[in-house]
Amino acid sequence: MPKISQLDFIEIKSTSIKESWDENSVWAPTLPCFIVRVTAEDGTEGFGEVASQTWYLGETSEQIRSCLTLYASRLKGAEATNLAAANHVMDKAYSGAMPGGRSARSGVDVALHDLLGKLWGVPVTTLLGGARRQRMDLLTNLYHKTPEEMAAASKTFVERGFKGLKIKIGDVIWKDGFRADSLATEAGFLEAALDVVPRDVFIDADANQAWTNPGIVVRRLERFASASNLAIEQPLHYANIEGHCDIRRRSTIPVILDESVWSPEAAMEVVRRGACDRIVLKVNRVGGLSQARDVITICESAGIGISVDTSPYSLLGDTAIAHVAMTTRGHYPLSCDGHETFIKLADPSIYKGGVDISQGYAELPDAPGLGIEVDWQKLEKIAI
């Protein structure tokens, strides 16, 4: 069996182009971003991406760098084809008992999948159990600052063929506090989108944990009860599972959990408690494609839907998450447009191939591994 001869990485600058991501927002305009390379003894290379956000995932560039350095030292000489053993090594090396280091671990796990796919001549979807479809509907995230801008953006993406919109309804509360006018402003964004979006397009109202109180959530949702395409996403703190159960019992609006699902074990607790109708799966938050597949199995066994979401990623990470999304049983729209609508890189030509998003669909290339080429020399020129 081929061994891992080297694991190295490069940090590059990933700058947000989202409408409200600035120094006054909880969403920082510059995000930690690393490209990981795992090389086998025969010279075959696999690539992965570490994308994170300091406020959202509690990870800084320095922390990610230290984790990747640790993983590199522990994985050198390990079997390149044994994904389970490699993940066990990383689990023992850092944060096996508590959340932490998962974005770095995810980047390595993705690179190992890419490497193994190339060694065996199969796409990563095959390693994950097989693709159920060849293309998938798209979803995008909208952070616009006024109801009018939110409505206009919603119409634009629907015209482009997108079948899902994530309307952010927590940023004003995070910025200005939990007040009546903040709640009214957030509800205004949602109302503006619902007024212009047809009912065959999913609208996920994402509060990012900001609404805090189950009773207020239920009361505020009553005005939107007739919207058959609406769901409420993570209105309460990620640890407040019982509160989300309460909302689900009292409201007719489906409940989505996002930040609460940070591991397969956390997903199992959500299932046991009956806390949601759907989850949002972020590959970097759960620690990689291996863990993502475990989460999918748990949720699908319980009849809970799965939406796969960018973190946000560049084209490399978006391609990786598209692979796991294609293996899901349900067909909720996929958010893998981070490389077009979330962030910009100094030199996008570092990539060739990758997931294609056009006419409202995501489609993977027919190639081994992830199906994306990475120009390491160009990466070195834009390294931080």
Side-chain angles (χ1 to χ4, degrees):
M1 294 291 184
K3 306 289 187 183
I4 296 173
S5 64
Q6 185 178 2
L7 189 160
D8 53 349
F9 54 89
I10 289 176
E11 183 177 8
I12 57 177
K13 188 175 182 179
S14 173
T15 304
S16 171
I17 56 175
K18 276 298 178 188
E19 302 77 17
S20 61
W21 286 37
D22 53 39
E23 298 298 342
N24 295 319
S25 167
V26 293
W27 308 103
T30 302
L31 297 80
C33 181
F34 293 76
I35 307 303
V36 179
R37 178 174 64 176
V38 178
T39 307
E41 291 171 319
D42 66 355
T44 305
E45 298 174 335
F47 297 94
E49 179 179 350
V50 182
S52 191
Q53 300 168 61
T54 301
W55 169 74
Y56 189 62
L57 294 171
E59 299 169 340
T60 63
S61 291
E62 293 78 10
Q63 187 260 4
I64 293 168
R65 183 179 294 275
S66 66
C67 286
L68 289 173
T69 301
L70 178 60
Y71 295 150
S73 67
R74 298 296 177 87
L75 287 172
K76 187 174 182 179
E79 288 186 13
T81 58
N82 194 332
L83 296 170
N87 273 277
H88 185 52
V89 167
M90 290 190 283
D91 202 35
K92 290 191 299 179
Y94 185 83
S95 192
M98 289 291 288
R102 294 180 186 273
S103 292
R105 175 174 168 174
S106 172
V108 175
D109 180 73
V110 168
L112 288 168
H113 276 81
D114 186 35
L115 174 62
L116 182 54
K118 291 171 180 174
L119 288 171
W120 288 357
V122 298
V124 166
T125 49
T126 299
L127 302 178
L128 296 172
R132 292 180 179 267
R133 60 191 65 84
Q134 297 304 312
R135 64 179 189 172
M136 201 160 187
D137 293 334
L138 286 171
L139 174 145
T140 197
N141 290 260
L142 299 178
Y143 292 80
H144 291 77
K145 294 183 177 181
T146 69
E148 293 76 19
E149 291 172 335
M150 188 68 78
S154 298
K155 288 181 65 175
T156 297
F157 278 96
V158 169
E159 290 168 357
R160 289 178 56 186
F162 279 61
K163 287 297 184 180
L165 303 176
K166 185 170 291 192
I167 308 299
K168 296 296 178 173
I169 59 166
D171 290 9
V172 175
I173 295 174
W174 275 111
K175 180 182 176 181
D176 297 333
F178 192 81
R179 309 182 330 191
D181 57 347
S182 299
L183 283 166
T185 299
E186 304 285 23
F189 295 144
L190 181 55
E191 191 168 56
L194 285 167
D195 282 346
V196 299
V197 173
R199 290 299 186 256
D200 65 345
V201 174
F202 286 99
I203 289 189
D204 298 344
D206 185 6
N208 280 119
Q209 308 179 68
W211 286 50
T212 68
N213 182 280
I216 291 176
V217 174
V218 172
R219 185 72 181 92
R220 293 282 174 165
L221 288 177
E222 287 177 355
R223 65 190 280 194
F224 303 110
S226 63
S228 59
N229 57 334
L230 175 65
I232 181 71
E233 180 177 325
Q234 200 73 47
L236 312 178
H237 189 273
Y238 74 89
N240 191 354
I241 304 301
E242 180 55 38
H244 288 103
C245 291
D246 187 29
I247 293 171
R248 192 172 181 229
R249 285 190 294 264
R250 297 166 59 193
S251 175
T252 60
I253 305 295
V255 174
I256 305 170
L257 289 184
D258 181 6
E259 291 88 343
S260 296
V261 184
W262 52 267
S263 69
E265 293 80 5
M268 181 61 78
E269 182 63 15
V270 165
V271 168
R272 288 194 188 105
R273 304 283 290 278
C276 68
D277 301 279
R278 181 167 24 123
I279 67 153
V280 173
L281 178 60
K282 286 188 171 69
V283 169
N284 64 335
R285 186 174 57 225
V286 300
L289 297 174
S290 300
Q291 291 75 19
R293 191 57 250 180
D294 289 343
V295 170
I296 289 169
T297 300
I298 291 167
C299 291
E300 288 184 340
S301 298
I304 291 174
I306 296 128
S307 299
V308 179
D309 197 1
T310 190
S311 290
Y313 283 118
S314 71
L315 181 59
L316 176 57
D318 278 340
T319 300
I321 66 171
H323 275 271
V324 75
M326 297 293 178
T327 71
T328 58
R329 186 182 304 162
H331 192 159
Y332 287 100
L334 161 67
S335 171
C336 67
D337 65 337
H339 62 286
E340 286 193 0
T341 67
F342 256 112
I343 62 172
K344 63 180 179 180
L345 303 180
D347 184 5
S349 72
I350 58 177
Y351 301 131
K352 183 179 179 182
V355 64
D356 174 64
I357 58 170
S358 58
Q359 300 179 345
Y361 294 102
E363 190 165 358
L364 288 171
D366 182 15
L370 293 174
I372 184 170
E373 298 176 20
V374 180
D375 190 323
W376 201 255
Q377 290 183 330
K378 286 186 176 180
L379 268 175
E380 291 176 330
K381 292 179 181 178
I382 63 171
I384 293 177

